[in-house]
Amino acid sequence: MKTLTGQNMPERLDKARKISWANLGKQITFYLPGMFSYNGMAGKYPAVSITGESCELQCDHCKGKILDTMAPAMTPDVLVETCLSFEGKGSHGVLISGGCSAEGQLPWAEFAPAIREIKDTTDLIVSIHSGCITDRDAVALKDAGVDQALIDVIGDEETLKKVYHVSFGLSSIEASMASLQSAGLPMIPHIVCGLDYGNIKGEKNAVDMISRFKVE
């Protein structure tokens, strides 16, 4: 990857701007996450954590702090009640997330029936943070009516193990994307730029990994 210097940065930015305008137009849409407020405005897409504040991984860039911004819903019944409350307050959708196990997984099998009830009794759009996911769980969540799965894609083995504190490698992330695609569950990959303590390392490979799958 070519290093951006003070000399070539303006030229590269100008080229990127022209490409963006030609393909996407000049309008930018900004989204305010439901767990944050800005200038008195709150997003209409709140998040819940099905593990409460618990996360076994304690990744270096988060330490589980993002879970503090989410409503706890640690049982299926509480998840349904929470989502009904969200809809009653005018929310458009809900992000179902949580902390990961040492294997990078969330307890989806336990909560899939509750998600089906949420889809059957509300008009909420349901997104999930999938984590590393099995074929069986991906199919169960698709059958439950989940609208989209958000998944972190890391492109460097060393960064993954060092920052996320996991024993598995990139193949688990690729297998999870394959499971989501096979189940027909739309996926939204996330790449955290500078995940390696501010260094760009593996981000291009992450894009290459994503390019092998059908994503919107």
Side-chain angles (χ1 to χ4, degrees), residues 29-48:
T29 301
F30 293 93
Y31 292 93
L32 179 63
M35 54 273 213
F36 301 113
S37 295
Y38 180 74
N39 284 348
M41 298 183 297
K44 297 292 186 180
Y45 216 105
V48 299

Side-chain angles (χ1 to χ4, degrees), residues 149-163:
L150 285 55
I151 181 169
D152 287 351
V153 181
I154 297 92
D156 179 70
E157 295 273 3
E158 182 183 6
T159 302
L160 173 62
K161 294 179 179 180
K162 182 171 58 176
V163 176

Side-chain angles (χ1 to χ4, degrees), residues 19-156:
I19 292 173
S20 176
W21 285 354
N23 289 279
L24 303 173
K26 295 184 179 181
Q27 180 173 332
I28 300 176
T29 301
F30 293 93
Y31 292 93
L32 179 63
M35 54 273 213
F36 301 113
S37 295
Y38 180 74
N39 284 348
M41 298 183 297
K44 297 292 186 180
Y45 216 105
V48 299
S49 171
I50 57 176
T51 65
E53 297 178 356
S54 174
C55 178
E56 291 186 25
L57 293 185
Q58 293 294 301
C59 305
D60 287 354
H61 66 306
C62 174
K63 297 292 186 183
K65 295 301 182 182
I66 191 66
L67 301 177
D68 296 342
T69 68
M70 303 180 185
M74 299 175 66
T75 69
D77 287 344
V78 172
L79 178 61
V80 173
E81 293 171 4
T82 301
C83 289
L84 288 171
S85 175
F86 284 158
E87 186 180 49
K89 295 176 182 177
S91 294
H92 300 156
V94 61
L95 170 61
I96 301 175
S97 184
C100 288
S101 68
E103 294 74 34
Q105 298 178 343
L106 284 88
W108 293 123
E110 178 184 353
F111 286 87
I115 295 174
R116 180 70 269 171
E117 183 175 349
I118 292 164
K119 291 299 295 183
D120 288 343
T121 57
T122 75
D123 292 322
L124 293 174
I125 300 170
V126 173
S127 305
I128 63 162
H129 269 143
S130 70
C132 291
I133 193 166
T134 64
D135 288 344
R136 177 177 295 181
D137 282 349
V139 170
L141 291 172
K142 172 65 176 180
D143 291 343
V146 169
D147 295 286
Q148 56 189 15
L150 285 55
I151 181 169
D152 287 351
V153 181
I154 297 92
D156 179 70

